[in-house]
Amino acid sequence: MSLPADQPKEESICFQDLKIGNNTDVTYNDSNDKESVTKVCSAEALFEMANSSCVSYRICGHPNRTIVVRQDRDCQDHTGGIVWETAYLLASFLEQKFGSKDQKSSKCALGQTLEVGAGCGLLGLVLSAAELSNRVVMTEATEAMHNLKSNVKDVRRKFRETNAIEMNVIAQQLRWDNCKLDIKNGGDALSGEFDTIVGTDVVFRKDLVKPLLKTLHTFSHSNTKVYLCLQERCVDAHSELMQKAPRYFKVEDQTQELRNTKGCVWGVQDLECKLIMLSSPRDRKKSSRKRKRAKH
């Protein structure tokens, strides 16, 4: 929900200002266990983020571009009310992997982008503001749509007013277990395939793994890359993913590349986050549903 004009602006905590997991900023005088000290620092910083009403993320190379999203900390019926750690990790990874000092060469490197389980919308908004994607469709279940749409509306308005940028980003309902109906009702937003698909902490229930994979496959063409940044929140669900994903895609573990990305080591070392890339979707020619590339 947008703030009334006469209501003071809430303070937000910026992810880059926390410097979590940076060993050079930690004093170890009272402990020989450096790893345990780092974990405490990361946990405290992330706890602070999760309990803030708003969180923000500065776009690399664009000091005047900051994404601010509101968290719905009171939600009880879904997991999309806060920005999960993996969203910050994947945003940092993709910015550094596909961004470039030569902005012309990196512009829209991710092409048409779909985000599944977008939550508060931070990751998709970062990809749009960083001009890594020329169009971003962020999707969520019904329960999380209100806050997601509100954040998209507020950020788009801010960027239009302060940066003269018209962000090509929208929020759309997409339930993995009711994908066909939501595609039918989604119109042009969900009418085609995407060049890049991203998701963070989207593996948390075993019964939703197959619907998730089928959804990812539905929106993929032969060159689509899917990036999933995950914490193992449910052992059975994660095992199900790793067992069934090869039926739909080529599976590549890029966790080491994530660990080697500047500012991301804490996610792998402390939180044991993983980065899985899916590509080369299986049996595209045999697909019963003929789909076109996503429209601009």
Side-chain angles (χ1 to χ4, degrees):
M1 183 179 298
S2 302
L3 288 171
D6 58 347
Q7 185 170 335
K9 183 179 179 181
E10 293 180 284
E11 292 295 326
S12 66
I13 298 177
C14 184
F15 168 70
Q16 285 91 343
D17 290 342
L18 294 177
K19 301 183 183 300
I20 54 180
N22 188 340
N23 290 351
T24 60
D25 295 333
V26 179
T27 301
Y28 300 105
N29 294 339
D30 298 327
S31 173
N32 293 322
D33 187 352
K34 297 186 179 183
E35 185 176 349
S36 66
V37 175
T38 302
K39 287 183 178 179
V40 170
C41 293
S42 298
E44 290 178 353
L46 295 168
F47 181 80
E48 185 180 4
M49 293 286 286
N51 283 277
S52 175
S53 58
C54 297
V55 295
S56 59
Y57 184 103
R58 283 194 300 272
I59 304 302
C60 181
H62 298 277
N64 63 331
R65 299 185 191 181
T66 299
I67 298 296
V68 181
V69 297
R70 181 188 299 276
Q71 300 190 115
D72 182 8
R73 296 168 297 162
D74 296 326
C75 69
Q76 301 292 327
D77 56 348
H78 63 87
T79 60
I82 65 171
V83 179
W84 294 94
E85 300 91 334
T86 48
Y88 303 115
L89 287 170
L90 190 51
S92 297
F93 174 82
L94 293 173
E95 267 203 298
Q96 294 181 59
K97 182 178 179 67
F98 294 102
S100 171
K101 292 182 179 179
D102 179 6
Q103 295 182 8
K104 290 184 178 180
S105 65
S106 62
K107 192 171 184 179
C108 301
L110 300 179
Q112 304 280 313
T113 302
L114 174 72
E115 181 177 10
V116 293
C120 300
L122 183 130
L123 174 58
L125 289 166
V126 167
L127 298 183
S128 180
E131 299 182 80
L132 292 177
S133 303
N134 52 15
R135 179 173 178 266
V136 179
V137 178
M138 295 185 292
T139 62
E140 253 296 354
T142 310
E143 299 82 2
M145 284 302 297
H146 178 76
N147 189 52
L148 176 59
K149 284 187 172 181
S150 177
N151 282 329
V152 171
K153 179 180 177 181
D154 290 345
V155 171
R156 288 189 65 180
R157 182 178 64 245
K158 173 194 170 185
F159 270 66
R160 188 184 307 119
E161 294 173 350
T162 62
N163 298 292
I165 294 175
E166 186 60 50
M167 299 174 69
N168 192 356
V169 54
I170 62 172
Q172 188 72 38
Q173 176 178 283
L174 180 63
R175 297 161 296 175
W176 311 330
D177 55 355
N178 214 344
C179 183
K180 290 185 178 180
L181 178 61
D182 286 343
I183 289 174
K184 180 180 179 181
N185 295 334
D188 288 346
L190 298 175
S191 65
E193 298 164 343
F194 292 82
D195 305 306
T196 305
I197 304 176
V198 296
T200 57
D201 274 325
V202 291
V203 179
F204 51 87
R205 272 175 46 186
K206 181 179 179 180
D207 62 305
L208 287 178
V209 170
K210 185 175 180 180
L212 170 62
L213 287 169
K214 292 179 71 174
T215 298
L216 298 175
H217 192 266
T218 295
F219 287 103
S220 297
H221 56 69
S222 59
N223 294 316
T224 297
K225 298 291 188 296
V226 181
Y227 295 93
L228 301 179
C229 193
L230 313 167
Q231 269 191 290
E232 196 173 298
R233 299 187 183 278
C234 173
V235 174
D236 290 342
H238 189 80
S239 296
E240 185 82 348
L241 174 73
M242 300 313 293
Q243 178 183 350
K244 291 190 174 179
R247 302 178 188 178
Y248 295 87
F249 297 94
K250 175 184 176 181
V251 181
E252 181 180 343
D253 188 336
Q254 294 197 346
T255 304
Q256 188 59 46
E257 188 174 350
L258 175 65
R259 182 189 180 98
N260 293 339
T261 300
K262 183 179 179 181
C264 293
V265 64
W266 58 270
V268 178
Q269 177 176 296
D270 300 351
L271 304 182
E272 299 181 348
C273 294
K274 302 181 185 300
L275 178 61
I276 307 298
M277 187 182 79
L278 310 178
S279 61
S280 303
R282 312 297 188 191
D283 299 325
R284 291 304 301 164
K285 293 182 179 179
K286 297 180 182 180
S287 176
S288 60
R289 180 180 176 86
K290 294 182 179 180
R291 298 173 58 79
K292 298 178 180 180
R293 295 290 181 93
K295 296 181 179 179
H296 290 262

